[in-house]
Amino acid sequence: MEYNPEFLSQCFLHTLSPQPEPRRAAESKLTELADQPNYALAVLRLVAEPSINEQIRHAAAVNFKNHLRSRWAPSPDSSFTPILDAEKDQIKTLIVTLMLSSTPRVQSQLSESLSLIGKHDFPKSWPTLLPELVSNLRAASQSNDYASINGILGTANSIFKKFRYQYKTNDLLLDLKYCLDNFSAPLLEMFLRTAALIDSMVSSGGGSPATLKPLFESQRLCCRIFFSLNFQELPEFFEDHMKEWMAEFKKYLTNGYPVLESSAEGLGLVDELRAAVCENISLYMEKNEEEFKDYLNDFAQAVWTLLGNVSQSSSRDSLAVTAIKFLTTVSTSVHHTLFAVDGVVPQICQSIVIPNVRLRDEDEELFEMNYIEFIRRDMEGSDIDTRRRIACELLKGIATNYKQQVISIVSVQIQNLLTSYAANPAAHWKDKDCAIYLVVSLSAKKAGGTSVSTDLVDVQSFFASVIVPELQGQDVNAFPMLKAGALKFFTMFRNQIPKTLVLQLFPYLIQFLGAESNVVHSYAASCIEKLLLVKDEGGRSRYTSEDVAQNLLVLMNNLFTALRFPESEENQYIMKSIMRVLGVAEITPEIAGPCIAGLTSILAEVCKNPKNPIFNHYLFESVAVLVRRACERDISLIPSFEASLFPRLQEILGNDVTEFLPYAFQLLAQLVELNRPPISDTYMEIFKLLLSPDSWNRNSNVPALVRLLQAFLEKAPEKVTQEGRLSQVLGIFNRLVSAPSTDEQGFYVLNTVIEKLEYGAIAPYVGHIWNALFSRLQSKRTVKFIKSLLVFMSLFLVKHGSANLVDSMNAVQAGIFLVILEQFVIPNLKLITGCIEVKLVSVASIRLICESPSLLDAGAVRHWGKMLDSIVTLLSRPEEDRVGDEPEMPDIAENAGYTAAFVNLYNAGKKEEDPLKDIKDPKEFLAASLAKLSAISPGKFPQIINENLDPANQATLLQICSTYNCPIV
């Protein structure tokens, strides 16, 4: 299709309009045109037209890049029309030349576009790209055109990033070899040429910032390409030319460049180059230690000296962190003897660690202005790339080989810092913060547990003398960073603090919930929450409802009050603490009333604009745990809870608050299960909504809807069989079971129908059920589906008898039962897991071989024997292979966002019920059943057993029968 350049130009001009009408009209038109062939090519040609205003060309370049992102290689389920191959070929022919001739702003967009294409096509489907880049690089180099040079290097850097952090595969190594063969020599050539230019300018004093900046950017890009090409393994070319590379690397770490470093922007550029060099030498230390060893001493000295001159300014953080990382890598290598020299470790502590651990103005500003980011770095361990953390990592690295020396030196440092603080607390509070931080950061988790230990101090003594005074201070708002550090220490070493002391300090923790600092009241909430998780030997919770009872009212009041502080309205640490306290405390009506009122009030607010998925998850968990623990204890509370919750839940359903629908359905299921029949009309209205096919269109809602449907089937089975509702329920089952993504949910519905309804009610539908299951078994069987089918058949048998099971299956197709038994049941019995499921399937199978005429018939001897063999295999599996521990409530992922995924409410979970409560041990049931059968037909079964059971299973079976004194005659 031909595009009018003037028309396209006008469209892009209008997309820049401040007026919404022309802007929307232009965007709409471009979206329409984007589906036409050759659209991308037309936009690229518009970008290439020098007569067009640069602002328009830039807008077109951005549009071109976004168009490629969605259409160059769209995913199979994408609705975008892919770009045709012929158009792709023309774009690849034009884009490199156009990128190099463009202005910087446009060049940046086209370089990103080129990288997007390269990600999919390079090198196999774009073999001309690298030769073209190399040719242009050499041409630009001859004319010292650093705008083009940096455009080419930037593009190469982007397309070579694929070699970083990927597993080695033959395809990856072949692609890497191709790039090395074509680009290694030109890269070194460019790097050395630029280095010579920089040296020449600096030595003659003739270099200006304007001329030096593009040269330093070029060297930085060369270093990043070096990193990519060396990441997988040391290439031969780079090993042969290591001396040239290392000589230049060292120069950038040791030389000064005052012309650039006199300005913040220029210093930043030089630091970026130095940081890239540090990453390269760290890579060689990690992966090519033997080849790099001759250069190590010089680099260690250079980095050490450099760090002594790097100021505490946050603009230099990246360089400081990468430089310290290099020393950390050296400290854990075979060359750690560099740190054995007298005076080295003390000097590192004095000149690198302590200065970088001390609080800076930037830290105080972050603490006050962005508490969430401060906590993310400080409490949640995401601060590995901050100066504070990486400085401590360096000490940990040195301690790998020089533990006692590090402990001795750091212990003295900690004592000196505390002495300084004691001399003048108001002026030297940062010294105490530094001491606490060192202890916390240099601690280590004990293997296989959650406890933390440290050799730097005696934890209990340090806690009593250093931390407790901060916790017992009268003013919760004084020196908030110091208070936060003390609370963090308390949280970290909670397992080591005696219970009696913790209970004495509990009222002080509660007071900190009223601190004005967001960090302090968040840390207090987190400390309380983590304390309630502490377990003693044997898995018993250390803190019980009795321990929190005395302070419970004021604790809950302070937690809810803390949510009123500015910026803490959706504080996830406070809400998580509320959830945890409600899960431990004894919930009386005096506590339940204010809590449900407070939670539903918060829910009303967040429904208007759900922003923080983690906070909202813990909010719904808090509601669920409160409903469960309060209403199970006192059913008279149910009406008042419903009165509080129903308006909020109806608001979620009525306004289609997508993020909250799964939560609402799970809470409704919980309320339905707590109710006593008859179910109220309000719930029946929800039941009608539940049976509507439209309710099941979103897959993310399905597990919660199934949970709610199960609750109705359990609590109101008589309502299900009225007004054609059972047909609708089975229609939902049919829909779910037909798709692999929802088939398990379909079985949950079906199993509940089979378990809760009389056979007379379901008999008219059983043929349709088998048809649906057999169709799915024929079209797309999976292991998960077959296991679910076995559980369903077992439940059917124990609830409605083996005759109904066999006859209903054979009514669909004559003889199908034995076919299913032979092909699917017998081979897969051993795959069943879960305590209740194993018991159900084994007991049902035992009843089948001992009661069903179809298996006791002489013609079914082989099936009988093989079935028994599978039953014994299932029952002989070790207990731990079959039974999973009851999981603790899992943390929702801290980086969770609202996605299409279903998020389960742990506290609203369905209780698994054993349909065979009267049978305690399936092995005993097997022995007794076989003994009865043998008594009826003496001598018949030993021969079948000998012919069909595996020798190991024969021995196991005899042992089972002997154990329960039920020998097979």
Side-chain angles (χ1 to χ4, degrees):
M1 177 178 173
E2 288 297 318
Y3 293 85
N4 184 329
E6 194 171 326
F7 175 73
L8 272 180
S9 176
Q10 285 300 308
C11 282
F12 285 115
L13 178 63
H14 288 314
T15 63
L16 303 172
S17 170
Q19 302 300 319
E21 287 306 317
R23 187 175 69 248
R24 286 176 190 149
E27 287 168 352
S28 176
K29 187 62 183 174
L30 289 170
T31 302
E32 182 187 323
L33 291 173
D35 283 327
Q36 304 298 321
N38 294 321
Y39 170 79
L41 197 56
V43 174
L44 187 62
R45 285 180 172 141
L46 181 72
V47 174
E49 183 51 59
S51 62
I52 303 287
N53 178 283
E54 196 203 346
Q55 206 173 7
I56 295 172
R57 290 163 64 203
H58 181 255
V62 172
N63 178 274
F64 175 75
K65 177 187 71 178
N66 293 331
H67 183 79
L68 296 193
R69 182 173 281 124
S70 60
R71 295 169 191 263
W72 192 271
S75 60
D77 55 348
S78 169
S79 58
F80 291 112
T81 308
I83 298 171
L84 298 175
D85 289 345
E87 185 180 359
K88 286 182 177 181
D89 291 340
Q90 290 187 70
I91 289 169
K92 287 192 283 196
T93 302
L94 295 171
I95 192 167
V96 174
T97 305
L98 177 56
M99 178 196 74
L100 297 177
S101 62
S102 299
T103 57
R105 287 178 72 210
V106 172
Q107 185 182 78
S108 170
Q109 297 300 324
L110 292 181
S111 178
E112 283 187 56
S113 301
L114 199 156
S115 300
L116 282 168
I117 301 171
K119 180 181 175 185
H120 298 288
D121 286 21
F122 178 79
K124 291 183 179 64
S125 299
W126 199 357
T128 60
L129 174 61
L130 207 50
E132 190 176 359
L133 288 177
V134 170
S135 172
N136 281 291
L137 182 64
R138 287 192 164 127
S141 174
Q142 293 300 318
S143 57
N144 285 343
D145 177 6
Y146 273 86
S148 293
I149 288 168
N150 290 346
I152 295 163
L153 292 176
T155 301
N157 181 38
S158 294
I159 62 176
F160 292 156
K161 279 180 184 176
K162 65 184 276 187
F163 301 120
R164 300 182 200 171
Y165 312 113
Q166 285 201 33
Y167 288 114
K168 280 185 190 178
T169 63
N170 286 338
D171 284 348
L172 187 77
L173 292 177
L174 282 171
D175 288 353
L176 176 57
K177 183 179 184 308
Y178 170 80
C179 295
L180 288 166
D181 290 346
N182 284 276
F183 208 79
S184 298
L187 178 69
L188 178 59
E189 187 182 307
M190 190 71 246
F191 187 63
L192 295 177
R193 181 183 175 87
T194 306
L197 275 173
I198 291 172
D199 292 346
S200 170
M201 289 182 184
V202 170
S203 62
S204 66
S208 67
T211 54
L212 283 171
K213 281 177 184 175
L215 304 185
F216 272 78
E217 173 62 11
S218 176
Q219 296 300 72
R220 185 191 72 81
L221 288 168
C222 286
C223 285
R224 299 311 292 146
I225 294 168
F226 177 100
F227 186 83
S228 296
L229 296 180
N230 282 267
F231 188 87
Q232 293 294 336
E233 54 190 33
L234 177 59
E236 186 180 343
F237 180 88
F238 285 91
E239 185 174 1
D240 292 343
H241 295 275
M242 195 182 292
K243 188 174 181 180
E244 293 104 305
W245 282 104
M246 295 305 149
E248 297 304 321
F249 286 170
K250 183 185 169 189
K251 193 190 300 177
Y252 295 124
L253 296 180
T254 53
N255 286 2
Y257 301 94
V259 173
L260 281 179
E261 294 179 73
S262 58
S263 72
E265 184 188 353
L267 178 61
L269 193 58
V270 178
D271 277 358
E272 283 180 6
L273 173 55
R274 288 169 176 153
V277 168
C278 287
E279 286 207 62
N280 287 343
I281 58 177
S282 291
L283 178 71
Y284 267 43
M285 264 308 301
E286 289 171 17
K287 300 198 172 189
N288 311 308
E289 196 173 322
E290 183 62 29
E291 294 85 356
F292 183 67
K293 66 183 179 185
D294 293 341
Y295 304 94
L296 178 56
N297 281 346
D298 285 349
F299 275 113
Q301 189 63 47
V303 169
W304 199 320
T305 306
L306 179 66
L307 279 167
N309 298 319
V310 174
S311 69
Q312 292 298 306
S313 167
S314 60
S315 64
R316 308 199 74 185
D317 283 355
S318 177
L319 173 59
V321 166
T322 52
I324 295 172
K325 273 185 177 178
F326 169 71
L327 293 181
T328 306
T329 304
V330 175
S331 73
T332 55
S333 74
V334 295
H335 301 288
H336 58 77
T337 48
L338 287 170
F339 298 91
V341 179
D342 282 349
V344 168
V345 177
Q347 190 179 346
I348 284 177
C349 205
Q350 290 282 6
S351 63
I352 297 177
V353 176
I354 299 299
N356 283 297
V357 168
R358 286 183 63 84
L359 285 169
R360 299 175 297 164
D361 292 343
E362 290 89 343
D363 300 317
E364 293 184 70
E365 187 177 328
L366 189 68
F367 182 93
E368 292 171 9
M369 305 301 293
N370 189 346
Y371 84 94
I372 293 172
E373 179 60 19
F374 182 89
I375 293 173
R376 189 184 73 81
R377 294 183 185 182
D378 183 56
M379 177 77 99
E380 295 175 4
S382 61
D383 60 344
I384 192 68
D385 284 344
T386 64
R387 291 198 190 205
R388 297 192 98 187
R389 173 66 66 187
I390 203 68
C392 289
E393 290 299 312
L394 173 58
L395 270 189
K396 280 185 178 180
I398 298 170
T400 306
N401 296 292
Y402 307 101
K403 185 175 182 180
Q404 288 310 313
Q405 192 180 352
V406 168
I407 288 170
S408 171
I409 292 165
V410 177
S411 296
V412 170
Q413 289 290 334
I414 288 169
Q415 201 51 55
N416 290 343
L417 289 163
L418 291 174
T419 302
S420 168
Y421 167 79
N424 189 341
H428 298 159
W429 66 269
K430 288 184 182 179
D431 288 344
K432 184 172 184 178
D433 174 87
C434 187
I436 294 171
Y437 189 90
L438 282 168
V439 175
V440 169
S441 296
L442 293 173
S443 61
K445 267 193 177 182
K446 289 183 179 175
T450 56
S451 291
V452 174
S453 65
T454 180
D455 295 312
L456 286 173
V457 296
D458 176 79
V459 170
Q460 294 193 22
S461 170
F462 189 87
F463 184 76
S465 61
V466 178
I467 303 300
V468 169
E470 292 301 327
L471 299 176
Q472 292 180 329
Q474 294 302 304
D475 185 358
V476 294
N477 295 313
F479 303 106
M481 294 193 85
L482 200 47
K483 297 287 192 290
L487 288 165
K488 182 181 175 185
F489 184 98
F490 194 175
T491 305
M492 181 77 78
F493 293 99
R494 60 192 178 275
N495 287 284
Q496 284 96 306
I497 312 301
K499 180 175 178 176
T500 51
L501 180 53
V502 170
L503 293 179
Q504 288 171 29
L505 293 170
F506 211 73
Y508 295 102
L509 283 178
I510 294 171
Q511 281 186 340
F512 277 114
L513 294 169
E516 292 170 5
S517 162
N518 297 88
V519 175
V520 172
H521 60 241
S522 297
Y523 277 20
S526 183
C527 186
I528 291 167
E529 189 264 327
K530 294 287 192 292
L531 280 168
L532 295 180
L533 285 174
V534 173
K535 288 191 167 31
D536 288 322
E537 282 187 29
R540 291 184 307 279
S541 294
R542 183 177 296 178
Y543 303 98
T544 63
S545 57
E546 290 80 15
D547 296 321
V548 297
Q550 184 180 348
N551 301 295
L552 184 57
L553 275 170
V554 65
L555 169 57
M556 294 312 299
N557 181 63
N558 282 18
L559 281 167
F560 278 105
T561 302
L563 289 168
R564 299 192 196 119
F565 280 109
E567 295 185 40
S568 271
E569 298 88 351
E570 296 188 21
N571 186 314
Q572 65 204 48
Y573 307 99
I574 296 171
M575 187 51 70
K576 191 176 184 183
S577 192
I578 289 172
M579 176 200 73
R580 193 73 65 201
V581 173
L582 291 174
V584 171
E586 185 174 344
I587 308 296
T588 61
E590 294 73 30
I591 291 292
C595 285
I596 195 63
L599 291 171
T600 50
S601 171
I602 296 164
L603 185 53
E605 285 303 308
V606 297
C607 275
K608 296 172 185 174
N609 182 20
K611 293 186 298 239
N612 184 341
I614 300 168
F615 173 85
N616 292 332
H617 178 80
Y618 289 130
L619 168 60
F620 280 100
E621 286 284 10
S622 298
V623 173
V625 72
L626 183 60
V627 168
R628 177 169 61 83
R629 303 195 77 244
C631 297
E632 283 181 2
R633 184 176 184 271
D634 183 356
I635 61 170
S636 69
L637 291 173
I638 294 175
S640 64
F641 270 55
E642 289 175 336
S644 294
L645 277 170
F646 265 30
R648 303 287 77 82
L649 297 177
Q650 286 167 337
E651 185 181 340
I652 292 167
L653 299 179
N655 295 336
D656 195 29
V657 184
T658 311
E659 300 90 341
F660 290 172
L661 286 173
Y663 292 129
F665 294 136
Q666 289 174 86
L667 288 178
L668 284 166
Q670 195 181 18
L671 290 169
V672 169
E673 286 172 348
L674 286 166
N675 264 263
R676 301 291 182 269
I679 297 293
S680 71
D681 291 341
T682 307
Y683 285 113
M684 290 314 296
E685 287 302 311
I686 293 168
F687 192 25
K688 286 180 188 174
L689 174 71
L690 181 63
L691 296 178
S692 162
D694 291 343
S695 301
W696 298 81
N697 287 337
R698 290 193 193 118
N699 270 6
S700 55
N701 291 341
V702 164
L705 288 169
V706 166
R707 170 94 176 78
L708 180 54
L709 183 53
Q710 286 179 294
F712 278 114
L713 289 166
E714 186 176 319
K715 285 292 177 179
E718 73 289 346
K719 301 278 190 184
V720 176
T721 57
Q722 298 168 3
E723 302 175 18
R725 293 189 187 114
L726 181 53
S727 178
Q728 291 174 282
V729 169
L730 291 173
I732 290 166
F733 144 73
N734 200 357
R735 172 180 180 157
L736 297 177
V737 87
S738 63
S741 60
T742 55
D743 56 8
E744 201 167 26
Q745 299 296 328
F747 274 109
Y748 293 157
V749 173
L750 183 58
N751 290 346
T752 312
V753 168
I754 292 297
E755 190 172 4
K756 300 302 177 184
L757 301 186
E758 296 297 325
Y759 192 70
I762 62 174
Y765 304 96
V766 171
H768 298 294
I769 292 171
W770 289 123
N771 269 320
L773 294 175
F774 295 159
S775 296
R776 173 61 207 281
L777 197 58
Q778 203 168 22
S779 64
K780 191 170 179 58
R781 73 182 66 126
T782 62
V783 173
K784 180 182 70 169
F785 179 85
I786 293 169
K787 286 163 68 176
S788 297
L789 177 63
L790 265 58
V791 171
F792 163 68
M793 290 173 64
S794 302
L795 188 64
F796 191 119
L797 187 147
V798 300
K799 287 294 176 183
H800 303 300
S802 60
N804 281 330
L805 174 71
V806 175
D807 293 347
S808 64
M809 289 176 72
N810 285 335
V812 175
Q813 183 180 327
I816 190 72
F817 171 74
L818 286 180
V819 173
I820 296 291
L821 192 77
E822 183 174 15
Q823 293 185 12
F824 300 106
V825 177
I826 292 171
N828 293 293
L829 269 187
K830 62 180 179 291
L831 301 179
I832 301 299
T833 55
C835 188
I836 292 174
E837 289 84 352
V838 168
K839 181 180 173 184
L840 171 65
V841 171
S842 57
V843 169
S845 301
I846 293 162
R847 285 183 54 181
L848 196 58
I849 63 172
C850 294
E851 298 173 12
S852 173
S854 60
L855 278 173
L856 291 170
D857 183 81
V861 166
R862 183 169 56 85
H863 292 111
W864 191 96
K866 293 297 180 190
M867 187 77 170
L868 178 60
D869 189 58
S870 289
I871 293 167
V872 175
T873 300
L874 177 62
L875 292 178
S876 62
R877 285 224 316 271
E879 199 70 16
E880 60 269 20
D881 289 356
R882 299 193 268 123
V883 185
D885 291 334
E886 181 66 23
E888 288 281 353
M889 179 186 158
D891 272 351
I892 184 172
E894 295 301 332
N895 58 353
Y898 289 124
T899 66
F902 164 74
V903 182
N904 182 50
L905 278 180
Y906 175 86
N907 287 296
K910 179 173 169 56
K911 289 181 182 174
E912 290 298 324
E913 289 191 17
D914 183 356
L916 295 165
K917 294 186 181 71
D918 53 324
I919 297 174
K920 302 301 180 192
D921 183 353
K923 290 182 181 178
E924 183 178 7
F925 184 74
L926 172 63
S929 299
L930 289 176
K932 284 181 191 173
L933 205 56
S934 295
I936 298 168
S937 307
K940 174 182 176 182
F941 295 101
Q943 183 182 349
I944 301 174
I945 290 169
N946 287 335
E947 290 174 359
N948 289 281
L949 263 66
D950 176 271
N953 279 348
Q954 289 182 36
T956 302
L957 179 60
L958 289 172
Q959 185 182 359
I960 290 172
C961 291
S962 172
T963 301
Y964 296 103
N965 198 26
C966 299
I968 299 172
V969 179

